[in-house]
Amino acid sequence: MSAIETKLAELGVTLPDAPAPAANYVPYVIAGDMVYVSGQISADADGMIKGKLGDDMDAEAGAQAAKACAISLLAQLKAACDGDIDRLVRVVKLVGFVNSTADFGDQPKVINGASDFMVAALGDKGRHARSAVSAASLPFGVAVEIEAIFQIA
């Protein structure tokens, strides 16, 4: 087991198989030493995590949805690295979209679910630049979608 997967196991997380694309795009693109991962929607073993922040979901539940996105992002990274996730040099940037009402303003708290998880799982390699923005709706009614840029060796 890789060092990163060992740390994930300590956190109670096993990476799932990388989710298949839901439309006409590829799950990731490698350009030089950078991996650009397409947006991963909030989903776990029970299915899609749906909801609208500020309506039927609070920031804490949204943060859990964002953590689920982060797990999928790492699964895609592992696939991009032919199974060797320890090739990760660092998380460069996360861009988080939050399905929220017009008056909901805690998008950063929601996306912290992904950011906090990346740092807990990866240490300093997990520290990253980030955007957290509101969206009037997201595909399939999911609560959160996050895309990522990783640097690999």
Side-chain angles (χ1 to χ4, degrees):
M1 186 179 290
S2 77
I4 290 173
E5 288 177 293
T6 298
K7 180 62 179 178
L8 289 170
E10 290 171 9
L11 296 171
V13 173
T14 301
L15 290 181
D17 291 336
N24 187 17
Y25 62 90
V26 295
Y28 56 82
V29 171
I30 300 172
D33 65 347
M34 305 299 277
V35 179
Y36 298 82
V37 179
S38 296
Q40 299 296 296
I41 60 173
S42 51
D44 59 19
D46 297 324
M48 288 185 235
I49 302 169
K50 298 180 178 186
K52 185 172 279 290
L53 281 290
D55 181 17
D56 60 357
M57 184 177 269
D58 63 19
E60 184 176 324
Q64 288 302 308
K67 178 182 176 183
C69 294
I71 292 168
S72 292
L73 288 166
L74 291 180
Q76 292 292 0
L77 175 65
K78 181 180 176 181
C81 292
D82 296 322
D84 184 8
I85 196 169
D86 284 344
R87 289 178 56 196
L88 176 69
V89 172
R90 71 169 304 136
V91 181
V92 176
K93 185 169 185 179
L94 298 181
V95 179
F97 302 92
V98 180
N99 184 356
S100 56
T101 61
D103 61 343
F104 183 81
D106 284 336
Q107 289 82 5
K109 287 182 183 177
V110 171
I111 302 304
N112 277 349
S115 294
D116 293 348
F117 175 75
M118 290 295 192
V119 173
L122 306 170
D124 284 340
K125 290 181 180 186
R127 298 194 183 282
H128 53 272
R130 186 184 89 180
S131 298
V133 298
S134 179
S137 66
L138 288 173
F140 313 110
V142 297
V144 180
E145 180 174 352
I146 303 175
E147 63 183 53
I149 302 170
F150 298 101
Q151 183 182 19
I152 58 172

